[in-house]
Amino acid sequence: MNILYDERVDGVLPKVDKASLIKALEAALPGVQLLHAREDLKPYECDGLSAYRTTPMAVVLPNTIEQVQTLMRLCHERNVPVVARGAGTGLSGGALPLEQGVLLVMAKFNRILEVDPDARRARVQPGVRNLAISQAANPYGLYYAPDPSSQIACSIGGNVAENAGGVHCLKYGLTVHNILKVDIVTIEGERLTLGSEALDTPGFDLLALFTGSEGLLGVVVEVTVKLLPKPQTAKVLMASFDSIEKAGRAVGDIIAAGIIPGGLEMMDNLSIRAAEDFIHAGYPVDAEAILLCELDGVESDVHADCDCVRDVLARAGATEIRLARDEAERQKFWAGRKNAFPAVGRISPDYYCMDGTIPRRALPGVLKGIADLSEHYGLRVANVFHAGDGNMHPLILFDANQPGELERAEELGGKILDLCVEVGGSITGEHGVGREKINSMCTQFKPDELTLFHAVKKAFDEKGLLNPGKNVPTLHRCAEFGGMHVHHGKLPFPELERF
Amino acid sequence: MNILYDERVDGVLPKVDKASLIKALEAALPGVQLLHAREDLKPYECDGLSAYRTTPMAVVLPNTIEQVQTLMRLCHERNVPVVARGAGTGLSGGALPLEQGVLLVMAKFNRILEVDPDARRARVQPGVRNLAISQAANPYGLYYAPDPSSQIACSIGGNVAENAGGVHCLKYGLTVHNILKVDIVTIEGERLTLGSEALDTPGFDLLALFTGSEGLLGVVVEVTVKLLPKPQTAKVLMASFDSIEKAGRAVGDIIAAGIIPGGLEMMDNLSIRAAEDFIHAGYPVDAEAILLCELDGVESDVHADCDCVRDVLARAGATEIRLARDEAERQKFWAGRKNAFPAVGRISPDYYCMDGTIPRRALPGVLKGIADLSEHYGLRVANVFHAGDGNMHPLILFDANQPGELERAEELGGKILDLCVEVGGSITGEHGVGREKINSMCTQFKPDELTLFHAVKKAFDEKGLLNPGKNVPTLHRCAEFGGMHVHHGKLPFPELERF
């Protein structure tokens, strides 16, 4: 697969003269690393969604905020699109470069500027790795809560751009709930501060608007994050079920009992068997589904919650309930879950990972719907997900070498996302829209709503130069995609904006 | 005081022909309550900030969302400004009407549409009172967390518009953290849904952007809130200090010890004596400051936290620490705090309540600064505040009948807000900017940032008809106010937007 930026639908961006651009960059940014030879650009042609690849015209790796400002001013003046990239671990093609654009790589912004244990916050550069923040806070008994599974590698700037979550976001919130302040540089080269160290900031909440905007509104150049005290203790319960719907219902029951687990994950039989075969986590291979429920906090509290969750699980029809007897077993239970994706990779030549989010109460129905779709399309689907917050990661198993299977997998994936939207959910939980789910946005939102997105985009980026073709589709695209009603060839909004 | 909308600075809004407007409203909205006689308009001329008064041209009280849409379309077409009003309890003049505009009163939207205990959410109309939601959720052991002190009267639509907080927001967050979905009607009459029942929503986070936008972006017509399980138990500790700075430092120490109290409030000697005289709460009248620290949650957990907070307070130099021995004493401790404002009203003819927010670590320094300012201006200041989240409510005591005292009080208030901004805080914690603090926004934000606010406003309301003159000042206003550098009579942005 090598899908190029779809110019037919999103409009042709202005042609950029490469020789002249490189010359201008060299003149404006002396001493800054600038890549433009074919072989040097290769590592930057995709992010974590490697099915989508484009070679950028140039890659710039600045060292200072002033250099970022200079770059942006230059590109703005010359109408050159800019795509920002953090660690490149994103799974929706949000950092996919443009052939006619500059890729701004923030890798050199990798310093932790300040850890203030009393105020419980850290000020860091955007290229700092997620896990590195917790490591720096560790001597003070603190940590940074959001923990995407790529946390060893992903950078905090990218976390802000995608509003990243993780196993613990049910209890501790997404990125937007764990940051205080972000400094950005706009496409016009202005440096702005969004949010503050105070509880609330007057005016419009641009920090929340910016978080998760996937590089369309500006480039993150500094982040102030909140730090939390590390929980005293953590325990994990594993419950087995003879039907996946029962496990789905048990999730709602736990929350309804007044408990917010640190993590609440579900795996179906296909995932259980794949993971057990790979990791030997001690999973029950005959169970139709398992739930992993982590309880963390003060010792006495965790103990009481464990008892309560056990009761709820038993009433929900669990066939077996096991408490990890020690830290080693707890780690093993989690290792199975954390390696479920590569484990599925061992039993199928290819798989396609979805990221739909649904209201918890819709879990049993949607799981049944996915099973029906799986049968209809003749493709196996493994279900592994953050059950507590309704964030599903169905893995569609296929073989790209079998003619038509990839297309069937993509179609099945689209149907699963439609199902999520139908029950009041959304097409992405934590991976973002990026390039991958741009068409599904036409299903998720009405033209009125998309028009509002475009107007907000315009408020930050009049010319539409920041990460065009991602996150928010043009109405043209939606019309072509068929996700919008077109009457007599006329779009509902005559003055179609492109960005 | 009778401050009219400052047309000189924010620009003259188009003249509206009253007779023609009333005729059009009657024709478009048959059967809808419409007030336009002078005596009927009286009750609507101010909100909770009664120092600012304006008589609106007309008041409309629709019953259905369709009627709101019709009203908005009509006003949009005729260029008539619209100010939306909930219960009118706001303290910053956010619902102050316009002489040349319609006041849209949402009082008839007072139904709780659905309480779903399993999903832990409630769907309500915007005119529903904050406390009524918790009352409806009570049979299920649930409640709605944000609790502004006006919670008996204030409506949830207004809470969304102001991003309301309360005593418990340190632990449980502001309104934005406790809502899932808001339906709005735009100035063009479109109905849009912001947010979803799912964990996260793709595209830009318009729900967060909208929350706290003070009626400038649209009118709330339905709200889906999160419900939380009621805490098992709650205990209150009262600690006395011989200096207010020591009390300020103890606040930071408690948070640094890894405890997030349900409430953490501070009162200085002047407030303590006023409250004790009024309520007989059992406060130590010789103390320079007291802290009230509420711990809530599971029984065993609360017990452990109490011990820990006691130690921290003792180390911080508390001269006395008392645990409310029973529920009655707990209620009494809180009654003193909750009645501190009226208590201060008993010892001074007038007072002016501020609402600055600062980083916790800046507390001791800012308290010292306020004491110096108080001395300089010769006006007493009582300090009562949500110490845990750095949200201060200094009450400036004055006598409006003494020539010059009001002006001195306003100037002193402005200086206190400047001090808040200086230490990295903000000019408002929970009361909003509204009409009252519009000039302080010129200090809080740079022209670049204000321009971005204007562009966002334009994305929702091109003509600038929704609640003009509130929340976000024009650059013209900032120039007149002197909060912006004007070089040779030229504003930094030649194309000044007005809304």
Side-chain angles (χ1 to χ4, degrees), chain B residues 62-276:
Chain B
N63 306 290
T64 68
I65 294 176
E66 291 70 27
Q67 289 167 353
V68 175
Q69 291 178 287
T70 303
L71 172 70
M72 300 291 262
R73 271 187 224 111
L74 188 149
C75 290
H76 183 249
E77 201 176 294
R78 293 176 154 254
N79 296 316
V80 177
V82 178
V83 178
R85 178 188 162 111
T89 55
L91 291 171
S92 59
L96 184 73
L98 291 173
E99 275 187 2
Q100 298 284 317
V102 166
L103 187 72
L104 164 57
V105 177
M106 298 300 285
K108 299 197 172 174
F109 287 78
N110 59 358
R111 282 190 306 126
I112 290 176
L113 302 170
E114 188 192 357
V115 176
D116 182 341
D118 290 343
R120 282 207 204 153
R121 56 175 181 75
R123 204 159 53 82
V124 304
Q125 289 189 321
V128 169
R129 290 174 305 108
N130 173 297
L131 193 61
I133 302 175
S134 290
Q135 286 165 344
N138 190 46
Y140 309 102
L142 300 172
Y143 78 116
Y144 175 66
D147 57 343
S149 52
S150 58
Q151 71 175 142
I152 301 174
C154 66
S155 65
I156 187 75
N159 287 180
V160 171
E162 301 292 329
N163 194 17
V167 167
H168 289 91
C169 68
L170 169 64
K171 184 165 179 178
Y172 299 105
L174 300 163
T175 302
V176 70
H177 305 113
N178 288 278
I179 56 176
L180 288 166
K181 198 168 81 173
V182 170
D183 275 28
I184 68 164
V185 170
T186 67
I187 186 67
E188 293 176 45
E190 292 165 354
R191 178 177 176 169
L192 299 178
T193 301
L194 312 182
S196 77
E197 285 173 38
L199 172 73
D200 192 18
T201 314
F204 302 131
D205 189 351
L206 300 186
L207 176 62
L209 176 69
F210 187 89
T211 306
S213 63
E214 305 194 6
L216 269 74
L217 305 184
V219 174
V220 180
V221 295
E222 194 179 298
V223 187
T224 302
V225 303
K226 295 180 196 171
L227 301 173
L228 295 183
K230 287 194 288 184
Q232 227 178 61
T233 189
K235 301 262 182 219
V236 173
L237 285 163
M238 177 167 67
S240 312
F241 290 86
D242 58 14
S243 99
I244 189 156
E245 287 84 5
K246 275 188 198 165
R249 265 189 298 272
V251 169
D253 294 346
I254 292 171
I255 305 294
I259 285 167
I260 307 284
L264 184 51
E265 303 283 310
M266 195 196 291
M267 294 169 70
D268 69 2
N269 181 265
L270 189 53
S271 330
I272 294 167
R273 280 185 289 125
E276 184 58 23

Side-chain angles (χ1 to χ4, degrees), chain A residues 204 206 209 459-460, chain B residues 209 217 452-460:
Chain A
F204 303 130
L206 300 186
L209 176 69
F460 283 76
Chain B
L209 176 69
L217 305 184
L452 190 51
F453 283 152
H454 286 220
V456 168
K457 162 75 171 172
K458 238 183 149 166
F460 283 79

